[in-house]
């Protein structure tokens, strides 16, 4: 297991390198650059000579291979570059953003897992009942409705009935945990609801596949109670595909965070990558994508390790 874990961690390095290389050249294909964006505007008096001077000073006129080599050398030193738009290093600019997005992602996963698996098990155990039908209607609605629509409905509901609007000033969860959680819980519910609907459906399907197997009937014949049979035998064998689905849904969670953070005015990576793309701040975009990619690869590794912990028959050696 340890050898497998080390190999997977070492594979992260070439994967990030390949991703960063592809992203570097793809972004340079886009029209415009940062010098043109910063000097543009209704009140701008910058001349073509001024714009060219900025490009020369920032190295934007250098050949692509020179810019790439410069970026690669910085990356090997752990430096994600300097954002001209934010006027500070990318690592410093993203420090607080990572905390916001990581907190939102963690709460969303907790929300999704905490009620999706129990609802899926209940729906499978009471198949065909009104409870099952109710859960299926709710989860179908969660899958059908996009995140931004659920977020807008929730925001309108909170404003109309509770006079609650997203705070303008953000506080760190490490400084004021309760205040930060109060602000994060609603966007986490929005993202978690959609993910939970898919996971709940998957749990129901996998549970229905195993409840009729011979070892389940044998467990009942041995006198084990329904709770023990369901949780220790049925769910333990049905949970592996659910974990795979949960791992994939984290990527969708990141996609949803881009819009949800904007609706609830959360200063996270999702909102930052939209602003950076609009500003042609390619260095910032590359830094954010690499950070999100690293998070996803570590999450997938964790899911793979959970397979062996839940099912002892799975071995990676």
């Amino acid at each position: 297991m340890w050898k497998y874990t080390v190999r997977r961690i070492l594979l992260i390095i070439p994967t990030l390198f390949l991703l960063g290389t592809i992203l570097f050249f793809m972004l340079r294909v886009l029209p415009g650059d940062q010098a043109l964006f910063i000097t543009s505007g209704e009140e701008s008096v910058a001349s073509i000579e001024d714009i060219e001077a900025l490009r020369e000073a920032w190295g934007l006129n250098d050949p692509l291979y020179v810019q790439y080599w410069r970026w690669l050398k910085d990356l090997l030193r752990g430096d994600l570059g300097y954002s001209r738009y934010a006027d500070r290093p990318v690592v410093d600019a993203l420090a607080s953003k990572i905390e916001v997005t990581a907190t939102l992602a963690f709460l969303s996963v907790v929300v999704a897992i905490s009620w999706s698996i129990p609802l899926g098990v209940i729906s499978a155990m009471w198949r065909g009942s009104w409870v099952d039908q109710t859960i299926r209607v709710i989860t179908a609605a969660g899958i059908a409705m996009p995140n931004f629509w659920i977020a807008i409905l929730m925001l309108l509901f909170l404003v109309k009935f509770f006079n609650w609007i997203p705070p303008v000033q953000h506080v760190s969860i490490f400084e004021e945990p309760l205040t930060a959680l109060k602000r994060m819980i609603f966007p986490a519910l929005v993202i978690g609801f959609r993910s939970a609907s898919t996971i709940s459906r998957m749990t129901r399907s996998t549970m229905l596949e195993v409840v009729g197997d011979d070892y389940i009937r044998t467990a009942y014949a041995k006198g084990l109670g329904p709770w023990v049979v369901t949780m220790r035998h049925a769910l333990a064998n049905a949970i592996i595909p659910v974990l795979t689905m949960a791992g994939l849904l984290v990527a969708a969670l990141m996609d949803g965070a881009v819009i949800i953070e904007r609706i609830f005015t959360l200063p996270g990576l999702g909102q930052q990558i939209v602003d950076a793309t609009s500003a042609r701040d390619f260095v910032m975009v590359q830094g954010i994508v690499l950070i999100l990619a690293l998070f996803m690869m570590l999450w997938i590794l964790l899911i793979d390790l959970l397979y062996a912990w839940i099912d002892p028959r799975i071995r990676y050696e």
Side-chain angles (χ1 to χ4, degrees):
M1 179 67 73
W2 285 109
K3 292 181 180 179
Y4 171 80
T5 305
V6 172
R7 285 199 305 267
R8 286 289 300 273
I9 293 175
L10 291 177
L11 279 174
I12 291 177
I13 299 174
T15 304
L16 288 177
F17 166 75
L18 182 60
L19 173 63
T21 300
I22 295 174
L23 185 64
F24 179 91
F25 290 103
M26 285 182 63
L27 288 174
R28 268 62 183 182
V29 175
L30 296 177
D33 56 36
Q34 202 167 13
L36 184 61
F37 176 84
I38 291 179
T39 55
S40 63
E42 296 180 358
E43 300 180 359
S44 176
V45 293
S47 62
I48 297 178
E49 290 76 14
D50 295 331
I51 297 175
E52 286 299 322
L54 277 179
R55 286 172 175 161
E56 191 67 31
W58 293 347
L60 299 179
N61 285 335
D62 295 339
L64 272 181
Y65 70 88
V66 175
Q67 297 183 45
Y68 173 72
W69 177 244
R70 186 165 54 237
W71 170 78
L72 186 59
K73 287 193 298 184
D74 291 339
L75 185 64
L76 292 175
R77 295 197 302 265
D79 183 5
L80 294 178
Y82 190 88
S83 170
R84 301 292 177 181
Y85 181 69
D87 196 22
R88 53 178 173 165
V90 172
V91 175
D92 296 340
L94 296 182
S96 60
K97 312 292 184 182
I98 294 173
E99 178 256 321
V100 174
T101 301
T103 304
L104 178 60
F106 175 76
L107 291 177
S108 301
V109 170
V110 170
V111 168
I113 299 298
S114 62
W115 69 276
S116 62
I117 294 180
L119 285 184
V121 172
I122 293 172
S123 182
M125 292 298 98
W126 291 358
R127 180 183 181 182
S129 67
W130 66 269
V131 176
D132 177 31
Q133 298 297 332
T134 302
I135 293 174
R136 292 173 65 186
V137 168
I138 295 174
T139 54
I143 295 173
M145 291 190 295
N147 277 338
F148 73 89
W149 177 245
I150 301 175
I152 292 173
L153 289 179
M154 176 175 285
L155 198 56
L156 291 174
F157 178 82
L158 293 172
V159 170
K160 183 173 181 60
F161 294 100
F162 298 98
N163 294 321
W164 184 90
I165 58 174
V168 176
Q169 189 67 30
H170 177 73
V171 295
S172 172
I173 194 170
F174 300 108
E175 297 174 359
E176 299 182 31
L178 188 59
T179 304
L181 286 175
K182 286 181 180 178
R183 185 181 186 187
M184 291 282 191
I185 189 62
F186 296 117
L189 284 173
V190 171
I191 300 176
F193 174 62
R194 183 175 177 84
S195 299
S197 300
T198 305
I199 297 173
S200 178
R201 285 282 183 137
M202 187 69 178
T203 305
R204 180 182 184 275
S205 299
T206 54
M207 284 291 293
L208 290 176
E209 290 179 2
V210 302
V211 292
D213 289 346
D214 292 339
Y215 68 91
I216 297 295
R217 289 193 292 268
T218 302
Y220 279 117
K222 291 168 60 178
L224 297 179
W227 174 260
V228 175
V229 174
T230 300
M231 302 305 296
R232 184 180 298 177
H233 297 280
L235 184 60
N237 288 276
I239 201 67
I240 298 297
V242 177
L243 283 178
T244 304
M245 178 64 69
L248 296 175
L249 284 176
V250 171
L253 182 150
M254 290 301 175
D255 294 339
V258 174
I259 301 176
I260 301 304
E261 286 180 0
R262 209 152 184 82
I263 293 176
F264 287 92
T265 64
L266 291 172
L269 293 177
Q271 184 166 328
Q272 183 66 35
I273 197 171
V274 174
D275 297 336
T277 304
S278 302
R280 296 298 187 269
D281 191 355
F282 299 145
V283 176
M284 180 72 76
V285 174
Q286 289 168 191
I288 295 174
V289 172
L290 288 177
I291 289 173
L292 293 178
L294 176 61
F295 171 79
M296 275 302 304
M297 285 185 280
L298 292 175
W299 174 258
I300 293 173
L301 173 60
L302 176 62
I303 294 295
D304 288 344
L305 296 178
L306 282 176
Y307 290 160
W309 180 70
I310 292 174
D311 191 343
R313 296 172 298 178
I314 298 177
R315 286 292 178 267
Y316 294 113
E317 301 300 338

